Amino acid sequence: MTEQPAPLAQLIHHLHAQGRLRVWSVIVTILGELAEPEGGEISMSALLELCAALEIEPQAVRTAMSRLSKEGLVAGRRAGRQAFYRFSSTGLEQYHRASRWIYAAPQDIQHWCYGLIGPDADLAQLQKDCAARPPLIFGARLACWPDAAMPEGLIPWRDRLVIFDSAPLIFSDWARNQVFPALNAESCALIARLCGALDGRALTAPQARVTRVLLVHFWRRLVLRYPAIEAPLDDWPLAHAHRALAGLYPQLVRMSDGAPECKTRFKCVTK
């Protein structure tokens, strides 16, 4: 196997260092990141070649594709001896819903609202109601969100909140410690650091495609688990990773000969 540039080799190592690899999840990333904007489908031979660069065995790929097909997320067709795969209508619907978060532009949010959650509130139910777009929770009783719009799930809870729009003078260590341990800070730091190492570096088209898959895969896993990707904290890990990826991504699209529509992803920092 051709030796990879050091930052790319580190990304591949990180992929396999997180416990048992969910190959089906990597394939979902490949379908969304590469196949969907390039006609919607990918051949099994191209998928196997890409996964080989990711050090994923062919049998693991075939097993994962079988699982995705059985779950109705992927549809296949044959042309001669070649097999091609794409998202099914169900898989495509899920992809489009997730892509709004995955490929959102970073935001520079300056104004925030805070809501002190009353003692009679059912926190489990509140979190369930806000699952689609959760506020940031400090210390279990303080919700925080950009002041442009209250999260829809919080609206029915307004009478059980004390809402104010002035930020605390400081966020003490106890408040940070309530939030940061829930994040995969290692992946955030890896994305930010290796995006910096790759900025301005020349890659071959196959290397750039593999890099796109890996960075977006790590980011996808973060942002879909922690949709509140911004926070009123200077050292917020997700924001650093988001900005680093958005800055590098256009270079990766260009070097990988990516589809023109990919250029609109992570397009700009919005205020």
Side-chain angles (χ1 to χ4, degrees):
M1 183 177 296
T2 304
E3 184 176 353
Q4 303 285 17
L8 179 50
Q10 291 177 56
L11 287 169
I12 294 171
H13 173 77
H14 187 68
L15 178 69
H16 293 274
Q18 304 301 297
R20 184 178 179 182
L21 180 61
R22 297 177 178 177
V23 178
W24 64 267
S25 182
V26 176
I27 292 174
V28 167
T29 299
I30 292 171
L31 289 172
E33 173 60 23
L34 299 180
E36 185 55 30
E38 297 176 5
E41 66 180 11
I42 188 170
S43 68
M44 175 58 86
S45 60
L47 181 62
L48 289 172
E49 182 179 358
L50 185 59
C51 287
L54 296 171
E55 301 180 5
I56 299 174
E57 296 294 330
Q59 185 55 48
V61 176
R62 294 189 176 93
T63 299
M65 289 304 300
S66 176
R67 170 181 173 173
L68 290 169
S69 297
K70 288 179 180 178
E71 292 180 353
L73 298 177
V74 167
R77 70 176 181 89
R78 296 198 69 87
R81 300 179 64 181
Q82 184 66 277
F84 295 84
Y85 293 92
R86 63 169 63 236
F87 282 128
S88 65
S89 57
T90 299
L92 193 60
E93 179 183 356
Q94 293 184 17
Y95 161 74
H96 284 309
R97 186 164 59 245
S99 67
R100 291 180 296 174
W101 292 104
I102 298 168
Y103 298 111
Q107 300 180 61
D108 184 8
I109 301 171
Q110 299 180 7
H111 302 290
W112 297 81
C113 282
Y114 301 83
L116 184 63
I117 303 170
D120 62 333
D122 182 338
L123 292 178
Q125 185 61 48
L126 185 150
Q127 291 176 344
K128 182 178 179 180
D129 290 351
C130 296
R133 185 174 168 237
L136 188 66
I137 303 292
F138 291 92
R141 290 290 174 181
L142 182 65
C144 172
W145 64 91
D147 73 347
M150 174 182 282
E152 185 176 347
L154 268 185
I155 293 175
W157 296 84
R158 277 190 295 190
D159 62 345
R160 279 170 277 188
L161 300 175
V162 176
I163 300 173
F164 49 101
D165 59 7
S166 58
L169 295 177
I170 60 169
F171 282 99
S172 59
D173 288 344
W174 73 262
R176 293 172 184 274
N177 291 340
Q178 288 283 334
V179 178
F180 278 26
L183 299 173
N184 190 332
E186 181 183 3
S187 286
C188 291
L190 182 89
I191 290 172
R193 178 170 55 83
L194 295 183
C195 282
L198 289 162
D199 190 13
R201 180 165 186 161
L203 298 173
T204 66
Q207 289 171 345
R209 288 170 70 83
V210 170
T211 302
R212 279 173 59 188
V213 167
L214 286 167
L215 287 172
V216 170
H217 182 66
F218 296 143
W219 177 243
R220 167 178 160 259
R221 293 184 65 191
L222 286 168
V223 74
L224 295 183
R225 185 174 180 184
Y226 312 110
I229 59 176
E230 298 293 337
L233 303 172
D234 292 337
D235 53 351
W236 185 234
L238 284 165
H240 289 306
H242 196 189
R243 284 165 173 74
L245 178 55
L248 178 67
Y249 191 79
Q251 298 177 46
L252 295 176
V253 171
R254 175 179 53 79
M255 289 187 290
S256 63
D257 301 321
E261 67 183 74
C262 291
K263 295 178 182 178
T264 64
R265 293 172 168 175
F266 305 108
K267 188 173 183 180
C268 60
V269 176
T270 58
K271 294 188 177 182

